[in-house]
Amino acid sequence: MKSIAALQKCVTPWSDGLEPSDAELDAIEQEMPLIQARVDLLDAQIMTIDRTPSELDKRRIRRAHNRVLAARRDLANRTGDSMVSGDAA
């Protein structure tokens, strides 16, 4: 069997512009606590898909949800502090 990719040119040529910039990587790094909190919440929810959640499961989901909210709050406060405001101090 022949490979289709070997018989034709690449659809999207590789370019240096496909790599994330330093600013984009910094933004991802700042959002990493929120990303991890959302992954933890999703993991807690996935564990209860095929069964009735126990009291421990409900507590795990609630705590994970609270961590997401705290991470969102912290991220909003960090980005709010870094922005220049026109308000008088």
Side-chain angles (χ1 to χ4, degrees):
M1 176 177 242
K2 294 182 180 180
S3 173
I4 295 172
L7 300 177
Q8 60 185 4
K9 294 181 179 180
C10 292
V11 175
T12 306
W14 185 255
S15 162
D16 289 337
L18 294 177
E19 294 294 322
S21 68
D22 289 338
E24 291 170 331
L25 291 174
D26 290 340
I28 292 170
E29 186 67 32
Q30 284 184 347
E31 293 179 10
M32 208 53 179
L34 177 58
I35 294 168
Q36 186 59 46
R38 285 182 174 169
V39 168
D40 292 343
L41 175 59
L42 188 58
D43 286 343
Q45 291 171 333
I46 287 172
M47 286 192 302
T48 62
I49 284 178
D50 61 346
R51 60 185 165 96
T52 304
S54 66
E55 192 60 38
L56 180 62
D57 293 329
K58 291 176 186 177
R59 191 179 321 160
R60 183 179 293 126
I61 291 171
R62 187 172 52 246
R63 287 180 179 172
H65 186 261
N66 288 338
R67 283 192 296 270
V68 168
L69 292 176
R72 290 176 75 186
R73 180 198 62 219
D74 294 342
L75 181 63
N77 287 340
R78 260 188 279 141
T79 57
D81 291 340
S82 65
M83 297 177 74
V84 177
S85 169
D87 297 337

